[in-house]
Amino acid sequence: KNEVEQSPQNLTAQEGEFITINCSYSVGISALHWLQQHPGGGIVSLFMLSSGKKKHGRLIATINIQEKHSSLHITASHPRDSAVYICAVGGIQGAQKLVFGQGTRLTINP
Amino acid sequence: NAGVMQNPRHLVRRRGQEARLRCSPMKGHSHVYWYRQLPEEGLKFMVYLQKENIIDESGMPKERFSAEFPKEGPSILRIQQVVRGDSAAYFCASSPVTVAQPQHFGDGTRLSIL
């Protein structure tokens, strides 16, 4: 079993829909990251969370430390949001490396 | 303020050759991480370095792979005697301190082995 599980693996929605991507992890961590990877391959860091909730534009990320669960929400989705969204956790057993989920491929149709 | 710079963006090598991938971290960042993304797979940690020190190389294959981050100059990921299975995208990231800080990623090097 992977230490980091994302769902769904693939998600297709219509422009304007509210999007939720989930991430569960099985061990104690110091921080959780949400990343975005576009078809060109570059990776952008969206959020880093250790507790609570963060918002940036139409993106919202939440984390529940007790339940070892995080969600990434996109409001008023747009075709340019189409990308792979990756959850990553750091600080497992004090290690500095990131452990990644498999990613969620999001496609927003106009 | 330039971001993380990786070069080359694309690298083609024949089996048995050596591949050298370079990463210049963001200004002021002293922590460098290398990750590998095999075709149709997720990202996997390879190695974590600080200046002149390898801190964690638990994700590095035991043979043919090495990494360094010298006092001056970029971090280098070196793959000797490349094989077809080394074809992947290799990403470098940097942070000012630890994973408690956001990591900034480069655009990656796409390595293709003929």
Side-chain angles (χ1 to χ4, degrees):
Chain A
K1 187 180 188 299
N2 293 335
E3 289 172 305
V4 183
E5 296 278 355
Q6 283 187 239
S7 63
Q9 283 190 300
N10 294 283
L11 178 57
T12 300
Q14 291 299 122
E15 184 173 355
E17 286 189 38
F18 181 82
I19 302 300
T20 296
I21 299 170
N22 296 300
C23 176
S24 296
Y25 52 94
S26 56
V27 294
I29 64 171
S30 62
L32 183 143
H33 302 248
W34 281 102
L35 311 170
Q36 180 192 55
Q37 186 172 28
H38 270 283
I43 296 172
V44 175
S45 179
L46 297 175
F47 294 104
M48 190 203 70
L49 296 158
S50 54
S51 65
K53 175 181 176 178
K54 288 190 176 179
K55 184 176 190 291
H56 184 247
R58 295 180 294 105
L59 301 178
I60 303 165
T62 64
I63 187 168
N64 185 316
I65 297 294
Q66 286 72 34
E67 295 186 4
K68 295 185 170 62
H69 180 269
S70 175
S71 293
L72 177 68
H73 305 285
I74 306 174
T75 62
S77 59
H78 189 276
R80 65 174 174 268
D81 297 326
S82 298
V84 176
Y85 292 84
I86 303 167
C87 170
V89 299
I92 296 173
Q93 296 181 332
Q96 302 303 309
K97 63 186 180 185
L98 290 180
V99 177
F100 299 86
Q102 284 295 95
T104 295
R105 185 174 301 275
L106 174 65
T107 303
I108 304 296
N109 293 318
Chain B
N1 189 16
V4 177
M5 304 298 293
Q6 286 189 250
N7 67 81
R9 289 293 306 278
H10 301 274
L11 181 60
V12 179
R13 285 287 178 265
R14 296 188 180 279
R15 282 179 293 171
Q17 291 184 321
E18 178 179 288
R20 281 186 180 239
L21 288 61
R22 295 175 187 76
C23 170
S24 297
M26 282 185 72
K27 188 176 181 180
H29 288 193
S30 58
H31 297 245
V32 166
Y33 311 83
W34 284 95
Y35 301 100
R36 179 166 67 173
Q37 188 173 38
L38 292 167
E40 303 304 319
E41 293 190 19
L43 286 155
K44 294 283 193 297
F45 167 81
M46 298 184 76
V47 62
Y48 161 44
L49 309 103
Q50 294 178 27
K51 283 285 187 182
E52 299 186 278
N53 285 305
I54 297 173
I55 307 301
D56 181 350
E57 55 181 349
S58 59
M60 289 278 269
K62 293 285 185 280
E63 297 175 350
R64 302 187 297 108
F65 285 71
S66 62
E68 62 177 8
F69 188 15
K71 188 176 180 181
E72 302 290 337
S75 176
I76 306 286
L77 179 68
R78 182 182 178 205
I79 312 173
Q80 294 178 287
Q81 299 175 335
V82 296
V83 300
R84 288 250 171 88
D86 298 332
S87 295
Y90 292 82
F91 290 93
C92 168
S94 72
S95 68
V97 182
T98 68
V99 290
Q101 298 291 323
Q103 292 188 13
H104 298 260
F105 284 77
D107 287 337
T109 294
R110 273 90 184 148
L111 176 64
S112 298
I113 309 302
L114 302 180

